[in-house]
Amino acid sequence: MNQVQILTSRILALGAIALTGLQPAAAQDIQTKDVEGFGGVIAREYENSREWWPADPRPPEGAPNVIMFVLDDVGFAQVGSFGGLIETPNIDKLASNGLRYNNFHTTALCSPSRASLMAGRFPHSIGLGSHALTAMGFPGYNAVMPASAKSVANYLQSVGYVNYALGKWDHTPLYEVSQVGPFDRWPSGEGFQHAYTFMAADVHQFVPVMWNDHSPEPYRKSVHLDQDLADRAIEWITGHKSIKPDLPFLMLWASGSMHSPHHAPDSYLDRYKGKFDMGWDKAREAILARQKQLGIIPQKTELTERIDEIPAWDSLSADEKRLYARQMEVFAAQMEWVDFQIGRIVGELERIGELENTLIFVTADNGASGEGGLAGTFNETYVLNGLQTSLEANLRHLERWGREDTYPHYHAGWAMAGNTPFRYFKQSQHRGGQHDHLVVHWPDGIEAKGEIRKQYHHISDIAPTIMEAAGVQVPDSYHGVKQQPMDGTSMLYSFNDAAAPDRKRRQYFEMFGNRAIWADGWKAVTLHANRMPWNVNVVLPFDQDEWELYHVAEDFSENVNLASVHPEKLEELKQIFDEEAWKYNVYPLYDDMVKRLTKQQDRLFEGQNQFVYFAPGAFRIAEKASAPVKNRAHRIETTLELQGGEEGVIVAVGGMTGGFSMFVQDGKLHFDYNYLDGVHYNLVSPPLPQGATELKFNFIKTREFGGIGELYVNGEKVDEVEMPQMHISTYSLAETFDIGLDTGTQVSRLYTDPFAFKGKLDRVVITLTD
């Protein structure tokens, strides 16, 4: 028989077996018939099919389930078992039955930490040297993870693991976040068969903008997203173990808590009433004492001095104390809430008998965040646009702090307390920015309970730890692409040997020009331009930075700067940093963060001046993937065939934190630009005519980030408004660009739901006119 006949006979034979329900013994009986007869073909091909039918991949015997609980912006000292003042009984229970690592480090920012966590490589070696929002064209910062550095989930998937991603996923460049992708850098491209995620740095916890794999989830309100994430995790785990109990799973459970917005259900909001009235100075002292009592830090550790930028608590006014104490109460309420959700998931693992062989990690992506600045903020978009929130503005929102009509962040003084005993915050490469808690729980693999591990480790070490625990090697190639070795070092050697010496000899760090190098117990570090995280506009030459030197093997908190005592050691470490920086694509350095944020859309759409969006499919498009109208003269146009009674959103971008919306309401055309602190620039038309009607908003730029807005109906100007201040870089991190409705939270206060357009909407055309 020729090849076509052979293939045909195989298809017929296998089809016949399936249709007749023949078992192997019956197939053997058929072999007594004419060998070239149909029955002979069936039997022969049944036996031969095992040679060309692909076998299911099988994980190594005893490979554990894996869950990575990754919290957001949680400082070293904010978990109870690490000395924190917040109740975290479920994380603490995992710690008491597992291990606590007190010398664990991250990259000091979310995107690079999460990318490094999954890839097991250092962030600059995979293009994530900073946040995906601040990508540049240089190899270390292009936000495009290479095909040569696939994730631990990819590798485990290839041997039979089923993988699930829930919650925050923000190392995908936002200009790739839409229904058309590309999806290489989405969870599906990194080895997750199932994903329920928000594809941004943060999300409104009560009105979350979510993706179900590659499809946008419909608008809905939630009790709190953390509860949804726990519900979905429980559903997936119990379903998985009901259907394929022998197959292990890997789950990334990445809550948006405790990143801004600090949201908690009403039932939790007052649990900490009055408990932080002592202020951040006394809180630091209390935390330090608890840390020493718990043995999580060396007994001789000294508390670093409060930095000059943070005022002494006793120097504050009564209004300031009342506001700032409430900010911390809400943060603590959210922290206890997310701990409760973690406990629900762990409880289900125990109920179905899977807890013993599930390797659990609980950590965060960076230290506590000082991005709320020196007053905190009811709307985080202030800092994203290089601004600070006034005390007066915050006080107006005090009674609603933590509820759905706020998007709050606490004062940097509380972040300082959350990073006790260290100095500084998220973004810095001092330990306050990149020294985090780590809890590891795995009864089948860890003999010790409640012990502390002091080995030096980095977030890139988790992936190789999982690989070793699962008995899986990094392949030489993956889907035909040669793979980079993992930069991280497996931590497995330390699980059952508290005295094991460090296997890492050096570790570099860099974030927005802040740099550090650790080598054999010594650390050199510099805070670039002495820039605080709330001062995003500071740009200074790198050669003016002052390096500090700490013997962290003896000085756990980085309290005593030895640069002048051991200048030769400092120079040695700076040379090591230079070697590592060249090796891992850290150079060149560039520090203008606002420019990096604002230029992304320009690079994406360079030379394009017209954008056509068709209803009904043009929605849930990331702001950075939409027409780049900020600081540009532009017009927004559509033509409607009006019959009377039409209403709803024509186009909207952003949400309650800022943005614009063009909509029809009460028979009139509206344009609402939502600026900060409740400032709205509103335009409205007279009653609209019936029939074909041309509608247009026209923006005339008269200054940097300011100008005049005009509203037109059938070519006639019907309204005009001055727009003296507008957003510089972003309206929101999570909210999107939508045609025909306003998903997520609403841009305008004139409507209260997505306000989907009722009528026939064909298209919206946006034209850049400068």
Side-chain angles (χ1 to χ4, degrees):
M1 292 192 291
N2 61 32
Q3 288 186 339
V4 173
Q5 291 172 319
I6 291 172
L7 180 59
T8 302
S9 72
R10 286 178 172 175
I11 294 171
L12 289 170
L14 292 173
I17 291 172
L19 289 170
T20 60
L22 284 174
Q23 299 300 312
Q28 292 292 336
D29 290 341
I30 295 175
Q31 292 183 43
T32 61
K33 299 180 181 179
D34 182 358
V35 70
E36 291 300 323
F38 188 66
V41 171
I42 293 175
R44 187 175 63 252
E45 294 308 325
Y46 184 86
E47 290 301 315
N48 293 343
S49 65
R50 287 176 293 182
E51 298 177 7
W52 55 272
W53 193 270
D56 288 337
R58 303 299 298 178
E61 188 70 26
N65 309 306
V66 181
I67 300 184
M68 296 173 284
F69 290 108
V70 182
L71 303 179
D72 205 335
D73 289 1
V74 174
F76 177 76
Q78 288 176 324
V79 173
S81 49
F82 284 74
L85 304 179
I86 302 170
E87 296 295 323
T88 56
N90 294 290
I91 298 174
D92 299 344
K93 184 177 179 181
L94 291 172
S96 66
N97 289 297
L99 302 174
R100 284 173 293 165
Y101 282 77
N102 74 346
N103 207 357
F104 181 76
H105 304 79
T106 61
T107 72
L109 200 69
C110 48
S111 261
S113 283
R114 292 160 191 274
S116 193
L117 167 74
M118 294 308 306
R121 282 100 176 174
F122 298 153
H124 298 78
S125 68
I126 54 174
L128 264 295
S130 61
H131 200 284
L133 281 171
T134 59
M136 304 182 291
F138 307 121
Y141 306 90
N142 61 20
V144 179
M145 292 180 66
S148 59
K150 300 307 290 184
S151 82
V152 60
N154 288 116
Y155 302 145
L156 294 187
Q157 181 189 50
S158 68
V159 299
Y161 270 73
V162 181
N163 303 327
Y164 307 90
L166 297 109
K168 178 169 176 173
W169 186 280
D170 82 325
H171 55 282
T172 300
L174 276 178
Y175 52 80
E176 296 185 353
V177 179
S178 71
Q179 295 94 317
V180 296
F183 301 112
D184 308 61
R185 284 161 286 281
W186 285 52
S188 60
E190 290 198 31
F192 291 94
Q193 290 97 323
H194 303 281
Y196 179 66
T197 54
F198 57 95
M199 303 290 291
D202 65 32
V203 72
H204 195 290
Q205 299 284 356
F206 302 123
V207 191
V209 176
M210 301 296 291
W211 289 83
N212 190 352
D213 293 327
H214 302 154
S215 298
E217 283 279 282
Y219 170 87
R220 66 180 181 82
K221 291 190 175 181
S222 170
V223 172
H224 193 283
L225 179 58
D226 284 342
Q227 178 173 293
D228 301 342
L229 298 179
D231 289 347
R232 187 70 63 97
I234 291 167
E235 177 184 321
W236 279 346
I237 290 169
T238 55
H240 176 115
K241 290 299 178 178
S242 298
I243 300 163
K244 290 280 189 179
D246 56 328
L247 282 186
F249 65 83
L250 177 141
M251 177 174 286
L252 172 67
W253 196 88
S255 168
S257 301
M258 302 301 299
H259 195 290
S260 174
H262 297 157
H263 283 155
D266 285 353
S267 59
Y268 272 65
L269 274 178
D270 290 333
R271 288 192 173 207
Y272 289 85
K273 198 76 172 175
K275 292 188 178 179
F276 296 100
D277 289 352
M278 87 287 271
W280 45 66
D281 292 321
K282 286 188 169 56
R284 293 182 82 210
E285 295 171 1
I287 291 168
L288 183 75
R290 285 174 59 108
Q291 289 174 326
K292 290 183 178 180
Q293 181 184 6
L294 292 168
I296 201 65
I297 65 173
Q299 292 300 309
K300 62 182 180 180
T301 301
E302 297 177 344
L303 185 64
T304 54
E305 291 185 5
R306 173 173 31 81
I307 62 174
D308 293 340
E309 289 83 353
I310 303 293
W313 183 263
D314 289 343
S315 72
L316 300 175
S317 69
D319 277 346
E320 288 173 318
K321 289 180 179 178
R322 184 164 58 96
L323 171 67
Y324 303 152
R326 184 56 177 165
Q327 291 174 355
M328 186 59 202
E329 290 169 9
V330 170
F331 178 95
Q334 186 177 21
M335 182 83 175
E336 185 174 342
W337 172 256
V338 71
D339 175 83
F340 174 69
Q341 304 307 325
I342 290 172
R344 290 180 59 214
I345 298 168
V346 173
E348 288 297 308
L349 287 170
E350 188 169 21
R351 177 179 72 88
I352 66 174
E354 291 291 335
L355 182 59
E356 298 296 303
N357 195 35
T358 299
L359 172 57
I360 296 175
F361 299 88
V362 186
T363 189
D365 52 5
N366 45 249
S369 170
E371 292 160 346
L374 300 179
T377 181
F378 71 94
N379 179 357
E380 70 158 358
T381 307
Y382 274 88
V383 73
L384 299 174
N385 288 278
L387 304 170
Q388 287 292 289
T389 315
S390 69
L391 174 65
E392 294 72 24
N394 278 330
L395 286 171
R396 288 197 293 273
H397 295 271
L398 176 58
E399 296 307 313
R400 299 291 299 170
W401 206 273
R403 291 184 166 88
E404 67 176 20
D405 50 350
T406 64
Y407 216 92
H409 197 302
Y410 59 13
H411 190 294
W414 290 116
M416 174 186 65
N419 293 326
T420 301
F422 309 124
R423 188 180 284 112
Y424 299 129
F425 324 91
K426 169 187 176 182
Q427 298 186 21
S428 86
Q429 296 300 355
H430 290 72
R431 283 189 158 179
Q434 42 88 307
H435 193 122
D436 269 285
H437 73 277
L438 173 65
V439 172
V440 183
H441 183 275
W442 183 24
D444 280 358
I446 299 174
E447 298 171 2
K449 290 187 176 182
E451 293 187 359
I452 295 169
R453 294 292 182 265
K454 302 177 182 180
Q455 290 85 359
Y456 192 101
H457 280 289
H458 183 262
I459 198 164
S460 62
D461 299 340
I462 289 180
T465 305
I466 294 170
M467 296 286 284
E468 185 177 0
V472 179
Q473 299 291 321
V474 175
D476 292 334
S477 67
Y478 182 84
H479 290 189
V481 179
K482 183 176 175 57
Q483 296 296 287
Q484 300 170 212
M486 284 189 171
D487 302 319
T489 301
S490 172
M491 307 163 64
L492 206 67
Y493 73 94
S494 65
F495 281 7
N496 291 308
D497 187 356
D502 288 327
R503 290 192 178 178
K504 295 179 81 75
R505 309 314 310 168
R506 55 174 63 177
Q507 181 66 54
Y508 84 90
F509 300 89
E510 188 276 335
M511 183 56 57
F512 299 138
N514 301 323
R515 288 154 286 163
I517 183 72
W518 171 87
D520 295 325
W522 289 84
K523 181 178 175 183
V525 58
T526 181
L527 184 69
H528 174 57
N530 289 317
R531 182 177 62 207
M532 296 294 114
W534 55 87
N535 290 329
V536 296
N537 290 320
V538 178
V539 178
L540 287 175
F542 291 97
D543 58 9
Q544 294 182 15
D545 292 340
E546 181 178 342
W547 285 79
E548 303 162 20
L549 176 68
Y550 298 98
H551 191 198
V552 290
E554 300 295 330
D555 178 12
F556 185 80
S557 60
E558 297 177 352
N559 187 52
V560 181
N561 180 7
L562 300 174
S564 61
V565 179
H566 298 290
E568 73 292 340
K569 189 67 177 179
L570 177 60
E571 291 306 312
E572 175 191 335
L573 287 173
K574 287 167 67 177
Q575 178 60 39
I576 294 174
F577 175 84
D578 206 46
E579 293 169 5
E580 298 292 283
W582 284 114
K583 181 178 179 181
Y584 293 111
N585 296 329
V586 175
Y587 292 136
L589 300 174
Y590 183 75
D591 62 344
D592 193 329
M593 286 188 286
V594 171
K595 185 175 289 187
R596 285 163 64 172
L597 277 167
T598 57
K599 290 296 183 182
Q600 275 208 356
Q601 282 173 303
D602 293 341
R603 288 193 299 271
L604 183 63
F605 299 118
E606 187 173 1
Q608 183 177 350
N609 60 16
Q610 189 172 84
F611 304 80
V612 181
Y613 298 99
F614 297 100
F619 72 102
R620 195 61 67 77
I621 301 167
E623 179 187 323
K624 294 298 181 184
S626 66
V629 298
K630 294 185 191 71
N631 207 31
R632 302 285 299 273
H634 62 275
R635 61 178 182 263
I636 303 172
E637 301 169 283
T638 191
T639 298
L640 301 179
E641 189 68 41
L642 297 175
Q643 306 298 320
E646 291 87 356
E647 68 172 5
V649 170
I650 295 169
V651 57
V653 61
M656 59 172 285
T657 60
F660 66 80
S661 179
M662 183 175 179
F663 57 97
V664 176
Q665 188 177 57
D666 297 328
K668 301 174 183 179
L669 176 66
H670 295 256
F671 188 93
D672 186 347
Y673 187 100
N674 177 0
Y675 190 54
L676 302 171
D677 196 17
V679 174
H680 288 254
Y681 307 131
N682 292 298
L683 298 97
V684 61
S685 77
L688 295 170
Q690 293 190 7
T693 306
E694 297 175 359
L695 307 176
K696 179 173 72 175
F697 169 78
N698 186 53
F699 177 71
I700 303 168
K701 179 182 172 182
T702 60
R703 63 181 68 86
E704 287 297 292
F705 301 101
I708 298 170
E710 301 175 327
L711 202 61
Y712 288 81
V713 176
N714 287 331
E716 179 184 352
K717 183 161 66 171
V718 295
D719 203 0
E720 177 180 298
V721 68
E722 282 278 344
M723 305 171 80
Q725 292 180 292
M726 303 173 76
H727 293 81
I728 297 172
S729 64
T730 192
Y731 307 124
S732 163
L733 291 177
E735 307 274 0
T736 57
F737 176 94
D738 305 293
I739 299 296
L741 74 169
D742 183 359
T743 59
T745 63
Q746 282 64 61
V747 173
S748 177
R749 295 175 175 175
L750 297 177
Y751 52 86
T752 57
D753 57 32
F755 202 34
F757 188 76
K758 295 178 181 178
K760 186 176 181 181
L761 177 61
D762 174 51
R763 71 190 66 188
V764 175
V765 180
I766 299 179
T767 307
L768 307 179
T769 56
D770 56 8

